[in-house]
Amino acid sequence: MTTLTIENHLAAGHLETALRADVLNGLTATPKRLKPAWFYDARGSELFEEITRLPEYYPTRAEREILTDHAGEIAALTGAQTLVELGSGSSDKTRLLLAAMRSAGTLRRYVPVDVSESALVGAAHALRADHPGLAVHAVVADFGVHLGVLPRGGRRLVAFLGSTIGNLVPEERAAFLHDLYGTLSPGDALLLGTDLVKDPAVLVAAYDDAAGVTARFNANVLSVLNRELGADFDPAAFAHHALWDPEREWIEMRLRSLRQQSVKLPEVDLVVGFSEGEELRTEISAKFRPEGVRAELAAGGFDQQRWWTDRAGRFGLSLSFR
Ligand code: AVJ
């Protein structure tokens, strides 16, 4: 029998409070911006899963290729008993790691960490069939805030996959890596997925697919604000825009107002005006260079011991130790 424990570190209303604060800050700033965290309600999570299967969106397949080739080596190098997964999302890549740790004979415990309790419970149940006897210790937490609550004991491998670290600006990445290092014990490891700088046309296509799935994913954040804050955004009055910033080497997703309009957000007591063509930034997705990843890890205290890419060199995975 799989044992499942769920530990909730989110105070009641934590996400609502964080959403209100971000909306108040971001929609009164110039230029306007929102955090990408708000994309992921049930519909947004479904759309993201659909994105990962798009022909243009290579990162998921590239990272899976690396894990398929190297999970055994990762299990052997880390000797980890516990797999901690930050932002656990869908579990197919997790399965590759768990299977390798089980073959190595070290696997004891899986610790998925996510803000969504329902996502955690879903992931835990999905693993039951393949891993009878695995202890699943799900942690409901905002890992931007609560890294200190990761369960201790045994050698731990912390996986932060999918290039989700690219949603953070460099200062936030530095703080995240420094904080994570501080909560780990000597011998614990970090497995970090990072999408790489490449031809801007390839990058832009990955965020502006022909079928329009990413456009729907982007606009979904307006529906989240409508539902959660009683706002009256008309998603059809905004256009999806994905662009490459060559200086900062990141993709930006924006929503461009198709007309002059004003939007009410009664639950935060806000009325926001958009001029025609004005853009709201909804996400940054930083792209990395191998030497940059090594430098950021080193600045956080980590010793990068392995660096792998997929055969086409599109995506990097690094294994570092505390
Ligand atoms: C889940 C943050 C890694 O930045 O590529 C996909 C999210 N946004 N398409 C990314 C996303 C638009 C994705 N991450």
Side-chain angles (χ1 to χ4, degrees), residues 40 48 51 57 162-164 167 206-207 214 217 253 283 285 287:
Y40 300 94
F48 177 67
I51 287 172
Y57 194 78
S163 204
T164 299
N167 275 174
Y207 293 83
T214 308
F217 174 75
M253 290 213 311
E283 179 173 56
S285 189
K287 305 303 164 188

Side-chain angles (χ1 to χ4, degrees), residues 41 43 218-229 233 235:
D41 66 346
R43 171 88 182 122
N218 196 6
N220 181 60
V221 75
L222 302 178
S223 307
V224 171
L225 268 44
N226 286 350
R227 187 183 61 239
E228 298 299 325
L229 301 174
F233 279 100

Side-chain angles (χ1 to χ4, degrees), residues 39-170:
F39 285 131
Y40 300 94
D41 66 346
R43 171 88 182 122
S45 301
E46 252 171 53
L47 285 166
F48 177 67
E49 287 305 313
E50 206 177 323
I51 287 172
T52 66
R53 295 188 292 267
L54 290 169
E56 297 94 334
Y57 194 78
Y58 60 85
T60 308
R61 284 184 298 276
E63 189 178 49
R64 189 184 302 123
E65 178 188 318
I66 304 170
L67 284 168
T68 301
D69 290 353
H70 300 289
E73 198 181 343
I74 292 164
L77 284 165
T78 62
Q81 297 162 342
T82 296
L83 175 64
V84 178
E85 189 176 23
L86 302 181
S88 42
S90 104
S91 53
D92 69 311
K93 287 180 273 184
T94 314
R95 281 160 187 277
L96 293 168
L97 288 168
L98 289 174
M101 290 165 69
R102 190 167 65 173
S103 302
T106 57
L107 179 64
R108 298 270 168 77
R109 182 169 60 157
Y110 173 49
V111 180
V113 183
D114 204 287
V115 289
S116 161
E117 180 159 349
S118 60
L120 287 172
V121 172
H125 284 293
L127 288 170
R128 285 194 134 150
D130 295 358
H131 294 278
L134 178 66
V136 179
H137 183 141
V139 178
V140 184
D142 179 346
F143 53 78
V145 186
H146 301 113
L147 280 174
V149 306
L150 302 179
R152 305 188 164 271
R155 277 180 178 249
R156 295 176 297 178
L157 169 61
V158 176
F160 193 29
L161 300 177
S163 204
T164 299
I165 195 169
N167 275 174
L168 306 177
V169 298

